[in-house]
C-alpha cells in the first residue's frame, strides 16, 4: 500500500513516500508534486517495492531536477541499469 506525506517549507516540497509504488499510482505522486515550489524532493527511504514504470518515472523526475533522497540501493541500481540501457 502506497502512502504519501507532503511537507512544504519555504519553496521546497518534500514528499515522503512509503510502501509499494506501482505504475498506476504515479499519477498520485505527480498530483502531490504539482505546486509552485521550485525545489522538489522525493524521500524514498520507506519504499519497499517498485516496478519498471516507477523506475522510469523516477529517472524522469531526476532529469527534471527532482532530488531522490534516501533512495533504496536496489532502486538506485535499477535506475543506473535503465539509464545505461537507454544510452
Amino acid at each position: 500500500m502506497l502512502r504519501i506525506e507532503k511537507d512544504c517549507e519555504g519553496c521546497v516540497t518534500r514528499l515522503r513516500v512509503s510502501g509499494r509504488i506501482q505504475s498506476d499510482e504515479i499519477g498520485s505522486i505527480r498530483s502531490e508534486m504539482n505546486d509552485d515550489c521550485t525545489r522538489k524532493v522525493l524521500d524514498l527511504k520507506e519504499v519497499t517495492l517498485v516496478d519498471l514504470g516507477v523506475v522510469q518515472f523516477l529517472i524522469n523526475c531526476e532529469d527534471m531536477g527532482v532530488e531522490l533522497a534516501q533512495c533504496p540501493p536496489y532502486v538506485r541500481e535499477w535506475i543506473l541499469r535503465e539509464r545505461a540501457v537507454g544510452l
Side-chain angles (χ1 to χ4, degrees), residues 35-80:
D35 58 22
D36 294 332
C37 289
T38 55
R39 184 165 173 235
K40 309 224 186 286
V41 178
L42 279 176
D43 186 333
L44 305 172
K45 181 180 181 179
E46 296 181 24
V47 168
T48 57
L49 189 65
V50 297
D51 63 23
L52 177 59
V54 173
V55 170
Q56 293 167 339
F57 166 71
L58 294 174
I59 289 169
N60 186 49
C61 285
E62 274 193 323
D63 290 346
M64 300 299 289
V66 175
E67 177 186 344
L68 303 182
Q70 303 187 72
C71 188
Y74 86 94
V75 175
R76 177 54 65 194
E77 180 64 30
W78 197 353
I79 288 171
L80 292 172

Side-chain angles (χ1 to χ4, degrees), residues 2 8 13 15-16 20 30 32 34 37 42-43 50 52-53 57 62 67 76 79 83 85 87:
L2 174 66
C8 294
T13 297
L15 297 181
R16 281 188 303 277
R20 295 175 153 199
R30 272 197 183 115
E32 290 291 333
N34 282 339
C37 289
L42 279 176
D43 186 333
V50 297
L52 177 59
F57 166 71
E62 274 193 323
E67 177 186 344
R76 177 54 65 194
I79 288 171
R83 283 187 185 276
V85 170
L87 293 178

